[in-house]
PDB file of all heavy atoms in Angstrom:
ATOM      1  N   MET Y   1      -2.352  21.109  10.816  1.00 93.00           N
ATOM      2  CA  MET Y   1      -2.499  19.690  10.482  1.00 93.00           C
ATOM      3  C   MET Y   1      -1.377  18.897  11.140  1.00 93.00           C
ATOM      4  O   MET Y   1      -0.274  19.404  11.289  1.00 93.00           O
ATOM      5  CB  MET Y   1      -2.438  19.530   8.958  1.00 93.00           C
ATOM      6  CG  MET Y   1      -3.258  18.357   8.457  1.00 93.00           C
ATOM      7  SD  MET Y   1      -3.121  18.159   6.672  1.00 93.00           S
ATOM      8  CE  MET Y   1      -3.555  19.776   6.099  1.00 93.00           C
ATOM      9  N   GLU Y   3       1.184  15.473  11.375  1.00 97.00           N
ATOM     10  CA  GLU Y   3       1.937  14.684  10.404  1.00 97.00           C
ATOM     11  C   GLU Y   3       1.164  13.412  10.044  1.00 97.00           C
ATOM     12  O   GLU Y   3       0.390  12.900  10.857  1.00 97.00           O
ATOM     13  CB  GLU Y   3       3.331  14.319  10.945  1.00 97.00           C
ATOM     14  CG  GLU Y   3       3.363  13.364  12.118  1.00 97.00           C
ATOM     15  CD  GLU Y   3       3.040  14.019  13.454  1.00 97.00           C
ATOM     16  OE1 GLU Y   3       2.796  15.246  13.476  1.00 97.00           O
ATOM     17  OE2 GLU Y   3       2.999  13.300  14.460  1.00 97.00           O
ATOM     18  N   PHE Y   4       1.380  12.915   8.845  1.00 98.00           N
ATOM     19  CA  PHE Y   4       0.729  11.666   8.449  1.00 98.00           C
ATOM     20  C   PHE Y   4       1.457  11.038   7.274  1.00 98.00           C
ATOM     21  O   PHE Y   4       2.214  11.702   6.567  1.00 98.00           O
ATOM     22  CB  PHE Y   4      -0.749  11.913   8.081  1.00 98.00           C
ATOM     23  CG  PHE Y   4      -0.963  12.765   6.846  1.00 98.00           C
ATOM     24  CD1 PHE Y   4      -0.978  12.194   5.580  1.00 98.00           C
ATOM     25  CD2 PHE Y   4      -1.150  14.134   6.961  1.00 98.00           C
ATOM     26  CE1 PHE Y   4      -1.188  12.979   4.446  1.00 98.00           C
ATOM     27  CE2 PHE Y   4      -1.356  14.927   5.839  1.00 98.00           C
ATOM     28  CZ  PHE Y   4      -1.370  14.344   4.579  1.00 98.00           C
ATOM     29  N   ILE Y   5       1.210   9.745   7.103  1.00 98.00           N
ATOM     30  CA  ILE Y   5       1.614   9.069   5.874  1.00 98.00           C
ATOM     31  C   ILE Y   5       0.334   8.626   5.182  1.00 98.00           C
ATOM     32  O   ILE Y   5      -0.533   8.010   5.804  1.00 98.00           O
ATOM     33  CB  ILE Y   5       2.533   7.870   6.179  1.00 98.00           C
ATOM     34  CG1 ILE Y   5       3.897   8.391   6.645  1.00 98.00           C
ATOM     35  CG2 ILE Y   5       2.685   6.982   4.938  1.00 98.00           C
ATOM     36  CD1 ILE Y   5       4.908   7.326   6.967  1.00 98.00           C
ATOM     37  N   PHE Y   6       0.183   9.016   3.936  1.00 98.00           N
ATOM     38  CA  PHE Y   6      -0.964   8.546   3.168  1.00 98.00           C
ATOM     39  C   PHE Y   6      -0.451   7.670   2.033  1.00 98.00           C
ATOM     40  O   PHE Y   6       0.384   8.080   1.239  1.00 98.00           O
ATOM     41  CB  PHE Y   6      -1.767   9.718   2.595  1.00 98.00           C
ATOM     42  CG  PHE Y   6      -2.991   9.253   1.839  1.00 98.00           C
ATOM     43  CD1 PHE Y   6      -4.177   8.995   2.516  1.00 98.00           C
ATOM     44  CD2 PHE Y   6      -2.954   9.033   0.469  1.00 98.00           C
ATOM     45  CE1 PHE Y   6      -5.299   8.537   1.837  1.00 98.00           C
ATOM     46  CE2 PHE Y   6      -4.074   8.572  -0.220  1.00 98.00           C
ATOM     47  CZ  PHE Y   6      -5.248   8.324   0.467  1.00 98.00           C
ATOM     48  N   ASN Y   8      -2.209   4.627  -0.556  1.00 98.00           N
ATOM     49  CA  ASN Y   8      -3.346   3.780  -0.895  1.00 98.00           C
ATOM     50  C   ASN Y   8      -3.279   3.398  -2.370  1.00 98.00           C
ATOM     51  O   ASN Y   8      -3.770   4.129  -3.233  1.00 98.00           O
ATOM     52  CB  ASN Y   8      -4.672   4.475  -0.581  1.00 98.00           C
ATOM     53  CG  ASN Y   8      -5.815   3.485  -0.605  1.00 98.00           C
ATOM     54  OD1 ASN Y   8      -5.853   2.603  -1.464  1.00 98.00           O
ATOM     55  ND2 ASN Y   8      -6.721   3.605   0.330  1.00 98.00           N
ATOM     56  N   ILE Y  12      -9.292   1.605  -8.189  1.00 98.00           N
ATOM     57  CA  ILE Y  12     -10.750   1.530  -8.174  1.00 98.00           C
ATOM     58  C   ILE Y  12     -11.270   1.615  -9.607  1.00 98.00           C
ATOM     59  O   ILE Y  12     -10.946   2.552 -10.338  1.00 98.00           O
ATOM     60  CB  ILE Y  12     -11.349   2.695  -7.353  1.00 98.00           C
ATOM     61  CG1 ILE Y  12     -10.892   2.630  -5.899  1.00 98.00           C
ATOM     62  CG2 ILE Y  12     -12.885   2.706  -7.448  1.00 98.00           C
ATOM     63  CD1 ILE Y  12     -11.407   1.448  -5.108  1.00 98.00           C
ATOM     64  N   PHE Y  14     -14.691   1.950 -11.286  1.00 98.00           N
ATOM     65  CA  PHE Y  14     -16.035   2.305 -10.835  1.00 98.00           C
ATOM     66  C   PHE Y  14     -16.976   2.479 -12.019  1.00 98.00           C
ATOM     67  O   PHE Y  14     -16.651   3.176 -12.965  1.00 98.00           O
ATOM     68  CB  PHE Y  14     -15.965   3.622 -10.056  1.00 98.00           C
ATOM     69  CG  PHE Y  14     -17.230   3.980  -9.310  1.00 98.00           C
ATOM     70  CD1 PHE Y  14     -17.302   3.816  -7.939  1.00 98.00           C
ATOM     71  CD2 PHE Y  14     -18.338   4.481  -9.974  1.00 98.00           C
ATOM     72  CE1 PHE Y  14     -18.455   4.157  -7.226  1.00 98.00           C
ATOM     73  CE2 PHE Y  14     -19.500   4.813  -9.281  1.00 98.00           C
ATOM     74  CZ  PHE Y  14     -19.551   4.650  -7.900  1.00 98.00           C
ATOM     75  N   TYR Y 206      -6.832  17.590  17.629  1.00 93.00           N
ATOM     76  CA  TYR Y 206      -6.209  18.715  16.920  1.00 93.00           C
ATOM     77  C   TYR Y 206      -7.282  19.532  16.217  1.00 93.00           C
ATOM     78  O   TYR Y 206      -8.088  18.976  15.470  1.00 93.00           O
ATOM     79  CB  TYR Y 206      -5.194  18.174  15.914  1.00 93.00           C
ATOM     80  CG  TYR Y 206      -4.205  19.212  15.465  1.00 93.00           C
ATOM     81  CD1 TYR Y 206      -3.175  19.617  16.309  1.00 93.00           C
ATOM     82  CD2 TYR Y 206      -4.309  19.793  14.206  1.00 93.00           C
ATOM     83  CE1 TYR Y 206      -2.269  20.577  15.902  1.00 93.00           C
ATOM     84  CE2 TYR Y 206      -3.405  20.757  13.799  1.00 93.00           C
ATOM     85  CZ  TYR Y 206      -2.388  21.146  14.652  1.00 93.00           C
ATOM     86  OH  TYR Y 206      -1.488  22.096  14.249  1.00 93.00           O
ATOM     87  N   ILE Y 211      -9.890  20.803   5.956  1.00 98.00           N
ATOM     88  CA  ILE Y 211     -10.051  19.916   4.795  1.00 98.00           C
ATOM     89  C   ILE Y 211     -10.792  18.659   5.219  1.00 98.00           C
ATOM     90  O   ILE Y 211     -11.805  18.261   4.634  1.00 98.00           O
ATOM     91  CB  ILE Y 211      -8.673  19.524   4.202  1.00 98.00           C
ATOM     92  CG1 ILE Y 211      -7.874  20.756   3.805  1.00 98.00           C
ATOM     93  CG2 ILE Y 211      -8.856  18.573   3.019  1.00 98.00           C
ATOM     94  CD1 ILE Y 211      -6.417  20.470   3.497  1.00 98.00           C
ATOM     95  N   ASP Y 238     -27.797   6.808  -9.459  1.00 97.00           N
ATOM     96  CA  ASP Y 238     -26.960   7.841  -8.842  1.00 97.00           C
ATOM     97  C   ASP Y 238     -26.905   7.707  -7.328  1.00 97.00           C
ATOM     98  O   ASP Y 238     -25.854   7.911  -6.715  1.00 97.00           O
ATOM     99  CB  ASP Y 238     -27.467   9.234  -9.236  1.00 97.00           C
ATOM    100  CG  ASP Y 238     -26.855   9.679 -10.559  1.00 97.00           C
ATOM    101  OD1 ASP Y 238     -25.644   9.481 -10.734  1.00 97.00           O
ATOM    102  OD2 ASP Y 238     -27.592  10.213 -11.398  1.00 97.00           O
ATOM    103  N   ASN Y 242     -23.463   7.218  -5.467  1.00 98.00           N
ATOM    104  CA  ASN Y 242     -22.970   8.171  -4.470  1.00 98.00           C
ATOM    105  C   ASN Y 242     -22.778   7.505  -3.110  1.00 98.00           C
ATOM    106  O   ASN Y 242     -21.820   7.789  -2.393  1.00 98.00           O
ATOM    107  CB  ASN Y 242     -23.941   9.359  -4.352  1.00 98.00           C
ATOM    108  CG  ASN Y 242     -23.837  10.290  -5.545  1.00 98.00           C
ATOM    109  OD1 ASN Y 242     -22.752  10.494  -6.095  1.00 98.00           O
ATOM    110  ND2 ASN Y 242     -24.953  10.849  -5.961  1.00 98.00           N
TER     111      ASN Y 242
ATOM    112  N   MET H   1     -23.310   9.531 -10.658  1.00 93.00           N
ATOM    113  CA  MET H   1     -21.870   9.578 -10.889  1.00 93.00           C
ATOM    114  C   MET H   1     -21.519   8.838 -12.179  1.00 93.00           C
ATOM    115  O   MET H   1     -22.174   7.868 -12.515  1.00 93.00           O
ATOM    116  CB  MET H   1     -21.148   8.932  -9.702  1.00 93.00           C
ATOM    117  CG  MET H   1     -19.787   9.530  -9.433  1.00 93.00           C
ATOM    118  SD  MET H   1     -18.928   8.733  -8.050  1.00 93.00           S
ATOM    119  CE  MET H   1     -20.174   8.741  -6.773  1.00 93.00           C
ATOM    120  N   GLU H   3     -18.732   6.732 -14.698  1.00 97.00           N
ATOM    121  CA  GLU H   3     -17.702   5.719 -14.469  1.00 97.00           C
ATOM    122  C   GLU H   3     -16.314   6.375 -14.372  1.00 97.00           C
ATOM    123  O   GLU H   3     -16.082   7.418 -14.958  1.00 97.00           O
ATOM    124  CB  GLU H   3     -17.717   4.676 -15.604  1.00 97.00           C
ATOM    125  CG  GLU H   3     -17.267   5.161 -16.960  1.00 97.00           C
ATOM    126  CD  GLU H   3     -18.349   5.937 -17.707  1.00 97.00           C
ATOM    127  OE1 GLU H   3     -19.470   6.098 -17.149  1.00 97.00           O
ATOM    128  OE2 GLU H   3     -18.061   6.422 -18.811  1.00 97.00           O
ATOM    129  N   PHE H   4     -15.416   5.743 -13.642  1.00 98.00           N
ATOM    130  CA  PHE H   4     -14.050   6.260 -13.547  1.00 98.00           C
ATOM    131  C   PHE H   4     -13.101   5.165 -13.078  1.00 98.00           C
ATOM    132  O   PHE H   4     -13.524   4.143 -12.516  1.00 98.00           O
ATOM    133  CB  PHE H   4     -13.978   7.463 -12.588  1.00 98.00           C
ATOM    134  CG  PHE H   4     -14.270   7.130 -11.144  1.00 98.00           C
ATOM    135  CD1 PHE H   4     -13.268   6.671 -10.284  1.00 98.00           C
ATOM    136  CD2 PHE H   4     -15.559   7.282 -10.631  1.00 98.00           C
ATOM    137  CE1 PHE H   4     -13.541   6.378  -8.953  1.00 98.00           C
ATOM    138  CE2 PHE H   4     -15.842   6.985  -9.294  1.00 98.00           C
ATOM    139  CZ  PHE H   4     -14.840   6.532  -8.464  1.00 98.00           C
ATOM    140  N   ILE H   5     -11.826   5.404 -13.337  1.00 98.00           N
ATOM    141  CA  ILE H   5     -10.774   4.601 -12.713  1.00 98.00           C
ATOM    142  C   ILE H   5      -9.977   5.530 -11.825  1.00 98.00           C
ATOM    143  O   ILE H   5      -9.560   6.605 -12.256  1.00 98.00           O
ATOM    144  CB  ILE H   5      -9.874   3.940 -13.780  1.00 98.00           C
ATOM    145  CG1 ILE H   5     -10.668   2.848 -14.492  1.00 98.00           C
ATOM    146  CG2 ILE H   5      -8.600   3.378 -13.150  1.00 98.00           C
ATOM    147  CD1 ILE H   5      -9.898   2.102 -15.564  1.00 98.00           C
ATOM    148  N   PHE H   6      -9.849   5.167 -10.558  1.00 98.00           N
ATOM    149  CA  PHE H   6      -9.017   5.957  -9.663  1.00 98.00           C
ATOM    150  C   PHE H   6      -7.832   5.099  -9.243  1.00 98.00           C
ATOM    151  O   PHE H   6      -8.000   3.990  -8.717  1.00 98.00           O
ATOM    152  CB  PHE H   6      -9.789   6.407  -8.417  1.00 98.00           C
ATOM    153  CG  PHE H   6      -8.957   7.264  -7.505  1.00 98.00           C
ATOM    154  CD1 PHE H   6      -8.854   8.630  -7.719  1.00 98.00           C
ATOM    155  CD2 PHE H   6      -8.240   6.704  -6.460  1.00 98.00           C
ATOM    156  CE1 PHE H   6      -8.061   9.431  -6.899  1.00 98.00           C
ATOM    157  CE2 PHE H   6      -7.435   7.495  -5.632  1.00 98.00           C
ATOM    158  CZ  PHE H   6      -7.358   8.857  -5.857  1.00 98.00           C
ATOM    159  N   ASN H   8      -3.873   5.904  -7.578  1.00 98.00           N
ATOM    160  CA  ASN H   8      -2.844   6.857  -7.190  1.00 98.00           C
ATOM    161  C   ASN H   8      -1.947   6.244  -6.121  1.00 98.00           C
ATOM    162  O   ASN H   8      -2.242   6.323  -4.931  1.00 98.00           O
ATOM    163  CB  ASN H   8      -3.466   8.155  -6.678  1.00 98.00           C
ATOM    164  CG  ASN H   8      -2.437   9.259  -6.614  1.00 98.00           C
ATOM    165  OD1 ASN H   8      -1.291   9.005  -6.222  1.00 98.00           O
ATOM    166  ND2 ASN H   8      -2.804  10.457  -7.001  1.00 98.00           N
ATOM    167  N   ILE H  12       2.512   9.629   0.350  1.00 98.00           N
ATOM    168  CA  ILE H  12       2.719  10.988   0.856  1.00 98.00           C
ATOM    169  C   ILE H  12       3.239  10.902   2.289  1.00 98.00           C
ATOM    170  O   ILE H  12       2.613  10.273   3.145  1.00 98.00           O
ATOM    171  CB  ILE H  12       1.397  11.783   0.846  1.00 98.00           C
ATOM    172  CG1 ILE H  12       0.860  11.922  -0.580  1.00 98.00           C
ATOM    173  CG2 ILE H  12       1.578  13.155   1.510  1.00 98.00           C
ATOM    174  CD1 ILE H  12       1.689  12.795  -1.505  1.00 98.00           C
ATOM    175  N   PHE H  14       3.903  13.385   5.125  1.00 98.00           N
ATOM    176  CA  PHE H  14       3.541  14.776   5.396  1.00 98.00           C
ATOM    177  C   PHE H  14       3.921  15.162   6.816  1.00 98.00           C
ATOM    178  O   PHE H  14       3.579  14.460   7.765  1.00 98.00           O
ATOM    179  CB  PHE H  14       2.023  14.931   5.217  1.00 98.00           C
ATOM    180  CG  PHE H  14       1.535  16.361   5.205  1.00 98.00           C
ATOM    181  CD1 PHE H  14       1.179  16.961   4.009  1.00 98.00           C
ATOM    182  CD2 PHE H  14       1.429  17.094   6.378  1.00 98.00           C
ATOM    183  CE1 PHE H  14       0.720  18.283   3.980  1.00 98.00           C
ATOM    184  CE2 PHE H  14       0.984  18.416   6.361  1.00 98.00           C
ATOM    185  CZ  PHE H  14       0.615  19.007   5.157  1.00 98.00           C
ATOM    186  N   TYR H 206     -22.230  16.401 -16.083  1.00 93.00           N
ATOM    187  CA  TYR H 206     -23.054  15.488 -15.295  1.00 93.00           C
ATOM    188  C   TYR H 206     -23.434  16.151 -13.976  1.00 93.00           C
ATOM    189  O   TYR H 206     -22.569  16.629 -13.247  1.00 93.00           O
ATOM    190  CB  TYR H 206     -22.272  14.196 -15.040  1.00 93.00           C
ATOM    191  CG  TYR H 206     -23.151  13.048 -14.632  1.00 93.00           C
ATOM    192  CD1 TYR H 206     -23.933  12.400 -15.580  1.00 93.00           C
ATOM    193  CD2 TYR H 206     -23.210  12.626 -13.316  1.00 93.00           C
ATOM    194  CE1 TYR H 206     -24.755  11.353 -15.215  1.00 93.00           C
ATOM    195  CE2 TYR H 206     -24.028  11.572 -12.944  1.00 93.00           C
ATOM    196  CZ  TYR H 206     -24.794  10.942 -13.899  1.00 93.00           C
ATOM    197  OH  TYR H 206     -25.611   9.897 -13.539  1.00 93.00           O
ATOM    198  N   ASP H 238       0.042  25.872  10.430  1.00 97.00           N
ATOM    199  CA  ASP H 238      -1.231  25.277  10.003  1.00 97.00           C
ATOM    200  C   ASP H 238      -1.687  25.814   8.654  1.00 97.00           C
ATOM    201  O   ASP H 238      -2.213  25.072   7.826  1.00 97.00           O
ATOM    202  CB  ASP H 238      -2.316  25.501  11.061  1.00 97.00           C
ATOM    203  CG  ASP H 238      -2.286  24.399  12.107  1.00 97.00           C
ATOM    204  OD1 ASP H 238      -2.160  23.226  11.722  1.00 97.00           O
ATOM    205  OD2 ASP H 238      -2.360  24.712  13.305  1.00 97.00           O
ATOM    206  N   ASN H 242      -2.278  23.397   5.595  1.00 98.00           N
ATOM    207  CA  ASN H 242      -3.585  23.279   4.946  1.00 98.00           C
ATOM    208  C   ASN H 242      -3.502  23.669   3.475  1.00 98.00           C
ATOM    209  O   ASN H 242      -4.132  23.047   2.617  1.00 98.00           O
ATOM    210  CB  ASN H 242      -4.621  24.148   5.678  1.00 98.00           C
ATOM    211  CG  ASN H 242      -5.036  23.530   7.000  1.00 98.00           C
ATOM    212  OD1 ASN H 242      -5.111  22.313   7.129  1.00 98.00           O
ATOM    213  ND2 ASN H 242      -5.284  24.363   8.001  1.00 98.00           N
TER     214      ASN H 242
END
Side-chain angles (χ1 to χ4, degrees):
Chain Y
M1 210 182 307
E3 67 281 359
F4 66 86
I5 289 181
F6 182 85
N8 194 320
I12 298 293
F14 191 104
Y206 198 75
I211 303 168
D238 273 316
N242 286 325
Chain H
M1 211 181 310
E3 69 280 0
F4 66 86
I5 290 181
F6 182 85
N8 195 320
I12 298 292
F14 191 104
Y206 198 75
D238 273 316
N242 286 326

